[in-house]
Amino acid sequence: MQTQKKIKIETFLKHPDVQEVIRNVNQDLIERREYTPPMCRAFSGEYTRLEEDATYRFHIDKEARIKLPKIIDSKVQVVERSEALDEPSLKRYRQPRNIGIVFSGGPAPGGHNVIAGLFDAAKKANPDNRIFGFLVGPDGIIENEVIEIDSELVDKYRNLGGFTMIKTGRTKIDSQDKMTFSRETCRKLNLNALVVVGGDDSNTNAAFLAQEMIDDGVQVIGVPKTIDGDIQVRDADNRELCAMSFGFHSAARAFASDISNLCTDCSSDIKYWHICKVMGRVASHLAMEVALQTHANMTLIGEDLANYVDQRRIVKAETEGETDYTAYGMTLRHLSRVICHGIVQRAAVGKNYGVIVLPEGILEFINEIQVFIIKLNTIIANYNRTRDVDFHTAFPMLEDKREYLRRMASLSREGKGSQIWRTRDDDLFNDLPAFFQEGLLTERDSHGNFQFSLVETDKVIMDLVQDYLNILRENGVYKIGIPRVFFRKVLEKDSLDPNIFGPILFHNYPKDDFLLTKPTIISLKTLTQALVDAKALKHDDTIPAPIKKIYLKSVPKFKTQTHFYGYDGRGTDPTRFDCIYTYNLGLTVFSLIANGVSGQMAAIKNLGHEFSEWQPIGIPIGPLMHLEERKGKLALVIEKSIVDVKSPAFQIVKALRENWLALQPNEDNYRRPGPIRFTGLSEEDRPITLKLNALGKNL
Ligand code: FBP
């Protein structure tokens, strides 16, 4: 054998060809950095101006009017192209400004382009404009941790994913102290404007900051960010203003690309069910887009489950003159049955493999779990409000927490305490597996949200599925269908007559293409018995080898591989759609600032249409607020948009469900979206969800 020449690593490392290979910079990165996204028509002139559009109406919450009086009456602003401005407007547009920007919440692809768009527009209006980036999220504002963003830094991150440039964090500016520190920072930096790039909670925060700082002359502008896609804005007349937050498309494309590879894998190796949990704290938008992109065999949509009505129970209750409230909404048990049904049906046509997509927040839509989350949220919030020590510090271990709940249940039995946790709750809770109890009791995030990403949703559901499949197997219901042609071939090879053994083994011989062993045949023992009863075998004879082979082939093993798609999609480089969307959001932010408004969220209308129809706008944030329970108290927040089960996109998913389950032999109906490609022709120029919703409106 030839021995490898020993290399001197120091010399090898310095070789220019080696240097080229190991460089951090590759062709894709160069092309990304050099790409200049096209600008909406509104930005094609020298300036922009704002046109107020009062035809958009909002139902304003009374509490929002009280808490946000200085911004509550703002109207939708439409950004228009302008070649000339009147003197005062020009002066305002061109005045030198210090603008601060902060990322808040989880990363979403495209954030760097918001900064790039803002930077380019600000420098074009006045080269003396300065952009400051607050470090590691809102903490950067509170603690005045900031860097000045220059062109070199912007160029380094153009069209790249992540929030790496200035990082992000989840702190909420929710106390008077934090607000005072934030104002102090803005004063020290002489800020004219603050831009908050974040989700529903962060934009809520932006509204309160706008209210607080308006008299200091600091304008506050929000930007709709989150891969979850749950910031979608419509007015009171259901007119769409913002169809989707940025980052959603890139994350969905990244997930879909990987999940499509799993579709290819399982239909090649035909032995695994791939269970894919897909991020999205509550809403199932990401899972739905993945379904549309990949045509995976089963995709569960939480919002659809919540809508479920068990007609059989209703009819039964009616005949007994009762009302069965448990018939509304799906239970965890029922959900596992639905999944099993799909698995059993596919196995019957020989497909004991497939891909299941589960939204991360699915449990939020399951009746009994939702009740637990609400009760536990309230219990933890009440505890924290009335004690010096926080609930999780006071009860660090699961057993301590359980003991506390047990005491609450026993107090409620004695008619004492808040009665929120009764014996029945405690019993039901203790029936759950320990890891799930622990998940339900995890610490809430800074906004009081339940942290679904920390719960093994897939495990909870798939354990139930596994249990029920075992029962179905024992009952002879879960079987792998044997191709009739294959059965004949195997038997004839050993000179056995398929027409003698077929009717003994299968309940559908010879009528179907896929043969299913009789429900009574569930072991080699019961198989022997069936053969003996049919006089095809004597008691002491061994089962003929071909018959045994066929039987063993019909016994399914349920083998799964679980995958979690979340953080990888948050960190992916943006699709071209998100690059263009976010760059134009950055330009919109500057236009709103330069034209003097505050408490607005930058947005682009008509995202589901061709780029030429995109319209930059400002949406007033105050009117979007409504009251919601957070940390056990009612709080003003922007409502999360969940999947609308009446939307054209969902209706398509529903209509194609059977098709994607693919109960015909051999072929599956998978779709290959391919990886995110930045250069060359890209197949998807915008989310399929948006395309379908736009088409549904127009057809
Ligand atoms: P944002 O709402 O801040 O954009 O974050 C969304 C999200 O990625 C959810 O999909 C997920 O449940 C959560 O963040 C995970 O949070 P963490 O980063 O704290 O694990």
Side-chain angles (χ1 to χ4, degrees):
M1 203 173 70
Q2 218 182 352
T3 49
Q4 180 100 33
K5 202 170 81 195
K6 205 166 175 206
I7 53 162
K8 220 170 153 209
I9 190 69
E10 294 78 14
T11 326
F12 188 55
L13 259 176
K14 282 187 197 134
H15 192 285
D17 290 350
V18 174
Q19 283 286 308
E20 179 60 27
V21 172
I22 61 170
R23 230 156 49 107
N24 287 347
V25 179
N26 62 4
Q27 193 52 32
D28 189 62
L29 183 68
I30 294 168
E31 282 168 14
R32 276 193 172 269
R33 283 179 176 159
E34 284 175 353
Y35 174 69
T36 308
M39 293 187 285
C40 295
R41 215 193 79 81
F43 301 115
S44 59
E46 187 55 27
Y47 312 103
T48 59
R49 62 185 175 80
L50 299 181
E51 197 70 53
E52 197 166 279
D53 189 341
T55 62
Y56 288 101
R57 298 183 314 113
F58 299 94
H59 294 306
I60 296 181
D61 190 284
K62 267 197 244 143
E63 186 72 5
R65 182 166 291 289
I66 296 168
K67 295 262 170 64
L68 301 165
K70 294 174 186 163
I71 60 163
I72 198 71
D73 289 315
S74 314
K75 300 281 179 282
V76 167
Q77 305 289 334
V78 179
V79 179
E80 302 278 8
R81 166 181 194 274
S82 170
E83 283 306 338
L85 295 174
D86 59 37
E87 197 51 37
S89 305
L90 183 64
K91 198 162 160 233
R92 184 177 62 193
Y93 202 92
R94 284 250 163 102
Q95 79 171 75
R97 289 183 162 87
N98 292 337
I99 302 173
I101 186 161
V102 67
F103 289 138
S104 178
H112 289 133
N113 271 23
V114 175
I115 296 185
L118 169 64
F119 183 88
D120 291 351
K123 291 290 178 187
K124 180 181 165 197
N126 185 342
D128 289 336
N129 281 337
R130 298 172 75 188
I131 309 292
F132 295 94
F134 289 107
L135 298 176
V136 200
D139 276 340
I141 313 179
I142 298 167
E143 290 158 18
N144 195 4
E145 284 292 319
V146 71
I147 53 165
E148 179 158 1
I149 296 173
D150 58 17
S151 60
E152 199 184 328
L153 194 59
V154 173
D155 290 348
K156 189 173 161 194
Y157 287 104
R158 281 182 197 271
N159 306 303
L160 296 191
F163 285 173
T164 331
M165 188 202 284
I166 53 172
K167 329 290 179 211
T168 185
R170 287 201 182 274
T171 298
K172 189 176 178 190
I173 303 177
D174 56 357
S175 68
Q176 202 44 53
D177 273 358
K178 290 185 202 167
M179 193 59 93
T180 309
F181 289 133
S182 303
R183 284 177 79 173
E184 194 56 31
T185 300
C186 293
R187 231 173 267 141
K188 278 190 191 141
L189 291 172
N190 204 12
L191 281 199
N192 303 86
L194 175 64
V195 183
V196 180
V197 182
D200 49 338
D201 288 324
S202 309
N203 274 282
T204 297
N205 226 201
F208 282 95
L209 286 165
Q211 164 72 27
E212 190 78 13
M213 303 215 260
I214 206 158
D215 295 333
D216 299 349
V218 182
Q219 297 161 255
V220 181
I221 304 295
V223 182
K225 167 242 68 158
T226 175
I227 63 160
D228 291 4
D230 56 12
I231 308 188
Q232 300 176 7
V233 184
R234 288 174 179 275
D235 80 343
D237 300 312
N238 210 23
R239 292 163 76 195
E240 190 173 80
L241 286 158
C242 171
M244 190 57 73
S245 50
F246 81 76
F248 168 81
H249 185 230
S250 312
R253 287 283 291 106
F255 299 157
S257 170
D258 281 349
I259 290 173
S260 153
N261 293 345
L262 295 179
C263 294
T264 307
D265 176 79
C266 71
S267 54
S268 309
D269 207 12
I270 60 168
K271 68 175 183 207
Y272 287 127
W273 271 93
H274 288 289
I275 315 301
C276 306
K277 182 169 83 162
V278 166
M279 240 190 202
R281 186 186 283 112
V282 177
S284 310
H285 299 294
L286 280 166
M288 186 163 97
E289 178 70 17
V290 166
L292 288 162
Q293 299 241 356
T294 63
H295 302 180
N297 304 106
M298 273 187 253
T299 300
L300 297 155
I301 303 295
E303 292 80 339
D304 179 37
L305 306 184
N307 250 11
Y308 175 79
V309 180
D310 190 335
Q311 288 298 348
R312 274 181 319 175
R313 280 185 184 212
I314 291 190
V315 173
K316 185 166 175 278
E318 269 172 10
T319 54
E320 288 160 13
E322 286 171 9
T323 311
D324 185 351
Y325 293 107
T326 61
Y328 299 93
M330 202 174 266
T331 61
L332 209 46
R333 231 175 122 82
H334 191 150
L335 170 62
S336 66
R337 306 297 193 254
V338 170
I339 298 174
C340 288
H341 187 59
I343 293 168
V344 167
Q345 278 182 295
R346 269 179 71 83
V349 291
K351 296 174 180 175
N352 195 30
Y353 65 85
V355 172
I356 300 179
V357 177
L358 294 172
E360 178 187 40
I362 194 166
L363 297 181
E364 173 98 16
F365 297 96
I366 303 291
N367 252 344
E368 71 258 41
I369 307 300
Q370 210 176 24
V371 172
F372 274 138
I373 292 173
I374 294 170
K375 287 194 173 203
L376 292 171
N377 274 355
T378 313
I379 289 169
I380 295 170
N382 285 348
Y383 187 93
N384 292 348
R385 215 180 13 251
T386 51
R387 315 284 211 295
D388 291 339
V389 192
D390 149 81
F391 181 81
H392 297 282
T393 317
F395 308 108
M397 309 302 289
L398 175 63
E399 198 33 57
D400 304 331
K401 293 178 177 128
R402 278 209 299 223
E403 180 53 35
Y404 179 73
L405 292 174
R406 223 170 281 143
R407 280 206 308 272
M408 285 195 77
S410 103
L411 277 176
S412 89
R413 261 197 310 275
E414 294 162 22
K416 298 182 196 152
S418 65
Q419 302 288 315
I420 188 172
W421 195 256
R422 292 160 181 263
T423 315
R424 188 175 150 68
D425 298 313
D426 210 50
D427 291 347
L428 283 174
F429 189 73
N430 285 319
D431 276 350
L432 298 173
F435 78 89
F436 188 30
Q437 291 179 13
E438 201 141 24
L440 288 168
L441 283 163
T442 49
E443 218 159 326
R444 276 45 183 163
D445 76 2
S446 57
H447 300 277
N449 295 314
F450 182 74
Q451 302 198 65
F452 277 104
S453 57
L454 303 183
V455 180
E456 291 178 278
T457 311
D458 41 345
K459 190 165 159 36
V460 176
I461 296 171
M462 294 318 291
D463 280 1
L464 285 169
V465 166
Q466 184 71 265
D467 287 351
Y468 192 55
L469 281 179
N470 288 341
I471 296 174
L472 293 178
R473 198 177 4 230
E474 277 162 28
N475 292 347
V477 176
Y478 178 29
K479 308 254 183 189
I480 298 181
I482 304 293
R484 196 181 48 217
V485 183
F486 177 77
F487 170 69
R488 298 192 77 92
K489 201 171 95 188
V490 171
L491 263 68
E492 280 164 2
K493 198 163 155 230
D494 266 45
S495 308
L496 296 178
D497 185 351
N499 292 332
I500 293 180
F501 287 95
I504 304 172
L505 256 60
F506 306 111
H507 72 75
N508 57 346
Y509 185 86
K511 79 176 172 346
D512 292 333
D513 289 343
F514 280 79
L515 305 172
L516 292 168
T517 52
K518 290 180 176 165
T520 45
I521 302 177
I522 52 167
S523 61
L524 287 173
K525 208 169 145 195
T526 48
L527 171 64
T528 309
Q529 194 56 52
L531 292 167
V532 170
D533 289 349
K535 306 204 175 2
L537 193 74
K538 294 216 184 73
H539 241 303
D540 300 332
D541 284 357
T542 48
I543 304 169
I547 303 291
K548 189 171 170 185
K549 178 177 173 177
I550 292 290
Y551 166 72
L552 291 177
K553 223 176 148 46
S554 78
V555 180
K557 285 192 193 67
F558 182 61
K559 291 206 277 188
T560 57
Q561 297 289 341
T562 49
H563 314 262
F564 177 36
Y565 294 101
Y567 300 100
D568 46 343
R570 293 198 325 196
T572 191
D573 280 331
T575 55
R576 202 184 283 237
F577 169 85
D578 269 328
C579 286
I580 301 173
Y581 179 19
T582 47
Y583 188 73
N584 281 279
L585 279 176
L587 300 175
T588 309
V589 167
F590 182 74
S591 175
L592 294 170
I593 294 170
N595 286 293
V597 297
S598 187
Q600 294 260 331
M601 181 162 80
I604 309 280
K605 216 171 73 130
N606 299 336
L607 278 179
H609 299 249
E610 294 297 323
F611 176 68
S612 56
E613 292 176 49
W614 285 20
Q615 174 59 63
I617 54 171
I619 306 173
I621 310 177
L624 308 182
M625 301 287 183
H626 81 146
L627 283 172
E628 218 174 77
E629 195 266 4
R630 289 290 172 93
K631 296 187 178 174
K633 280 191 288 191
L634 283 177
L636 277 176
V637 288
I638 298 177
E639 191 174 7
K640 274 191 205 311
S641 293
I642 57 174
V643 170
D644 175 3
V645 291
K646 294 201 189 78
S647 67
F650 177 76
Q651 290 301 318
I652 291 279
V653 170
K654 197 171 164 188
L656 293 179
R657 233 172 226 164
E658 283 281 302
N659 192 270
W660 297 343
L661 190 59
L663 296 180
Q664 78 281 16
N666 302 320
E667 273 303 294
D668 276 297
N669 293 317
Y670 299 135
R671 179 175 184 273
R672 292 170 180 251
I676 293 175
R677 278 185 306 146
F678 192 66
T679 50
L681 277 181
S682 177
E683 185 199 355
E684 285 107 11
D685 56 351
R686 64 201 111 133
I688 298 181
T689 308
L690 292 199
K691 270 193 194 172
L692 290 175
N693 287 343
L695 283 170
K697 224 167 24 191
N698 294 340
L699 294 182

